[in-house]
Amino acid sequence: MHHPLTRGLLTALLFISPTLAMASESVVEHFDLTTTWVGFAALAIFVGAYSLVMAEEFTHLRKSKPVVLAAGVIWLLIAIYYTTHHGAPHAAAESVRHNIMEFGELFLFLLAAMTYINAMEERRVFDALRSWLIRMGFSYRTLFWTTGFLAFFISPVADNLTTALLMCAVVMAVGADSPRFVGLACINIVVAANAGGAFSPFGDITTLMVWQKGLIDFQTFFALFIPSVLNFAVPAAFMHRAIPNETPPPSDERVRMKRGAVRIVLLFLATIATAVSFHNFYHLPPVLGMMTGLAYLKFFGFYLKITGEQATIKRGEIEDTLPFDIFTGVARAEWDTLLFFYGVILCVGGLGFIGYLELVSQFAYGDLGPTIANTMVGLLSAIVDNIPVMFAVLTMNPDMTQGQWLLVTLTAGVGGSLLSIGSAAGVALMGQSKGMYTFFGHLRWTPVIALGYVVSILAHFIINHRYFSMPVGG
């Protein structure tokens, strides 16, 4: 006699199986809705929602709220139209499930990475690095290049936002008496963090999406290393002369990392290796490797907990000490950012289902050509967040060589550096720098940043010319 729970599971499977079989056999016919009231309404809803996202700095309305609402309304309108006009009530449901699955992979991948970053932050890994830099007694010019290079090389592993905030804390601590230095150093940090994230699947959401899509192998992204270096170094060389040739007063501040900090860093590297190995050798989704690596951290967190380790929990200005619990790091993930990705992916997926992305693809990649189109992606990402732009390109899935996919990965990653509002790193530093890094201060140096953008694209064509004859998967 079966256990009641077993009987319940068997009953559920028998109920679900015919439904799944029918769904798998059904063929969804898509209709062009770009000239219907649904298409116009969906486009207006998305533009309105994204306008609120871009105005977040002034309205203080979290960016996830308008896009999550817009996603639900857009798909509801599509479902209503298909149900009433084409008698296909399941068409929208099947397509939206595909979008949700894509978001699910991205969500779990980022959740694992964010948990590791939060654990390292709580173990004071980043504070120890900051105090070391302050103690070294570097001149302003040396510190300008040091923080730039560290931002460039840390962002491929940590996200560029965390990296930028860490380096900004350093320049704010040593350059409080030199607003000019802080402003220039913050510009340099934003450019460096965005450039560093462009040559690694772990450095930026756009590169992560391209890698998870299976278009480019993990090791192939490193072909963008030299173009990324030039993207950072060219504007930095121009800004170097404007840095005050002085040395700030030294500091004796010392920060010791907490027990387990180094081991958590090593576990994070092991997690990255696991994700890469799962994907490269066994063709499993990278998210499976990341979640397996998150289990490493959970077991180590359990070890710290039973050995009496305490954790410092901060809520604004309030600080408390509790037994170490790795789920605190999970709770402190950037939930607004994760839900923003949900809204963006479903909104763009809905516009693609309506037919707008096909029109854009025909014009951009058909009429203009992939080189011009991919270059414009970077310019667009300076105004609009690069996440929806890259997801739109991936949804269009134009027929491009590996060289062109690398080009759009590069431009989407570094294009946000052209304006201070073009990347999360720039927006965050404007808030952290207490008025010393501003939109117009960044805009003054946009011409030399644009020069670095052009040089990096030319370098990619020269250095990686062989990839422009390689098909995807070749």
Side-chain angles (χ1 to χ4, degrees):
M1 188 172 182
H2 293 297
H3 189 277
L5 178 59
T6 306
R7 290 202 306 271
L9 289 172
L10 289 172
T11 303
L13 286 172
L14 289 172
F15 177 78
I16 292 171
S17 295
T19 307
L20 292 176
M22 291 173 61
S24 64
E25 292 172 2
S26 64
V27 178
V28 179
E29 184 179 0
H30 286 200
F31 299 94
D32 184 2
L33 306 183
T34 55
T35 56
T36 65
W37 66 268
V38 173
F40 296 138
L43 199 59
I45 290 168
F46 179 71
V47 171
Y50 215 83
S51 298
L52 291 175
V53 171
M54 296 175 68
E56 179 186 14
E57 183 185 355
F58 308 103
T59 64
H60 303 293
L61 178 71
R62 293 293 187 93
K63 60 181 177 291
S64 64
K65 296 178 180 180
V67 291
V68 169
L69 178 62
V73 175
I74 288 172
W75 278 105
L76 177 62
L77 294 178
I78 293 171
I80 291 172
Y81 190 91
Y82 265 73
T83 301
T84 56
H85 290 73
H86 302 292
H90 300 295
E94 291 180 23
S95 295
V96 81
R97 282 193 183 99
H98 176 72
N99 288 153
I100 291 174
M101 185 174 67
E102 291 192 18
F103 165 73
E105 287 193 22
L106 181 65
F107 167 78
L108 292 174
F109 191 105
L110 292 173
L111 183 64
M114 288 177 176
T115 303
Y116 263 105
I117 296 299
N118 289 337
M120 287 188 279
E121 184 179 13
E122 191 279 327
R123 295 286 92 184
R124 310 198 75 178
V125 172
F126 301 126
D127 287 340
L129 175 61
R130 177 182 58 81
S131 69
W132 176 78
L133 285 170
I134 295 172
R135 286 199 317 272
M136 294 305 293
F138 292 136
S139 68
Y140 284 133
R141 289 186 173 181
T142 302
L143 197 62
F144 172 84
W145 284 101
T146 303
T147 54
F149 274 113
L150 284 173
F152 183 85
F153 285 105
I154 293 175
S155 60
V157 181
D159 65 283
N160 51 11
L161 175 58
T162 301
T163 303
L165 289 173
L166 169 65
M167 293 299 110
C168 182
V170 174
V171 300
M172 287 286 292
V174 299
D177 297 329
S178 179
R180 181 177 180 79
F181 162 72
V182 173
L184 290 169
C186 285
I187 297 172
N188 189 46
I189 289 166
V190 170
V191 175
N194 290 336
F199 71 87
S200 165
F202 292 87
D204 193 85
I205 307 301
T206 54
T207 53
L208 173 60
M209 290 193 296
V210 174
W211 181 45
Q212 288 199 142
K213 197 80 171 179
L215 297 168
I216 302 294
D217 291 335
F218 181 84
Q219 63 275 9
T220 306
F221 284 97
F222 293 99
L224 295 175
F225 177 75
I226 294 179
S228 297
V229 169
L230 292 172
N231 182 271
F232 148 62
V234 169
F238 281 91
M239 288 187 284
H240 169 82
R241 296 183 179 181
I243 299 294
N245 191 17
E246 303 170 3
T247 301
S251 171
D252 295 328
E253 180 189 13
R254 289 183 180 272
V255 174
R256 293 179 61 86
M257 292 187 291
K258 295 182 180 180
R259 182 167 69 95
V262 175
R263 281 172 285 181
I264 289 177
V265 173
L266 294 176
L267 286 175
F268 185 46
L269 296 177
T271 297
I272 293 174
T274 302
V276 174
S277 300
F278 273 34
H279 186 65
N280 281 12
F281 301 129
Y282 303 105
H283 308 289
L284 293 169
V287 63
L288 187 62
M290 287 298 290
M291 292 304 291
T292 303
L294 182 59
Y296 306 161
L297 181 61
K298 287 185 176 182
F299 275 99
F300 183 65
F302 177 71
Y303 163 76
L304 291 177
K305 182 177 181 179
I306 63 174
T307 54
E309 187 65 21
Q310 299 289 304
T312 303
I313 311 299
K314 293 183 178 180
R315 293 288 185 274
E317 299 297 325
I318 302 174
E319 186 175 299
D320 197 5
T321 301
L322 298 172
F324 188 88
D325 185 0
I326 198 60
F327 284 100
T328 303
V330 177
R332 291 180 58 242
E334 291 288 336
W335 289 101
D336 180 55
T337 300
L338 293 172
L339 291 174
F340 169 72
F341 293 153
Y342 163 83
V344 164
I345 287 174
L346 265 70
C347 282
V348 174
L351 296 178
F353 188 83
I354 288 170
Y356 284 118
L357 296 187
E358 185 177 353
L359 293 178
V360 174
S361 179
Q362 288 174 354
F363 170 72
Y365 290 96
D367 298 340
L368 298 179
T371 299
I372 296 176
N374 291 334
T375 303
M376 290 178 62
V377 163
L379 301 178
L380 185 60
S381 66
I383 304 171
V384 181
D385 192 276
N386 59 2
I387 306 301
V389 175
M390 179 56 86
F391 186 73
V393 174
L394 291 171
T395 305
M396 297 175 203
N397 196 22
D399 184 16
M400 297 193 298
T401 62
Q402 289 193 35
Q404 290 292 348
W405 278 111
L406 286 172
L407 175 61
V408 73
T409 301
L410 174 68
T411 57
V414 304
S417 301
L418 294 168
L419 297 175
S420 63
I421 60 171
S423 65
V427 173
L429 263 57
M430 281 194 294
Q432 190 182 19
S433 64
K434 300 177 181 178
M436 287 184 275
Y437 168 60
T438 63
F439 174 84
F440 290 104
H442 189 111
L443 188 65
R444 179 187 174 190
W445 294 94
T446 292
V448 297
I449 298 172
L451 178 62
Y453 180 75
V454 172
V455 169
S456 65
I457 293 174
L458 294 176
H460 172 54
F461 275 97
I462 295 171
I463 297 170
N464 300 319
H465 61 88
R466 65 187 184 280
Y467 290 106
F468 288 88
S469 59
M470 290 186 185
V472 171

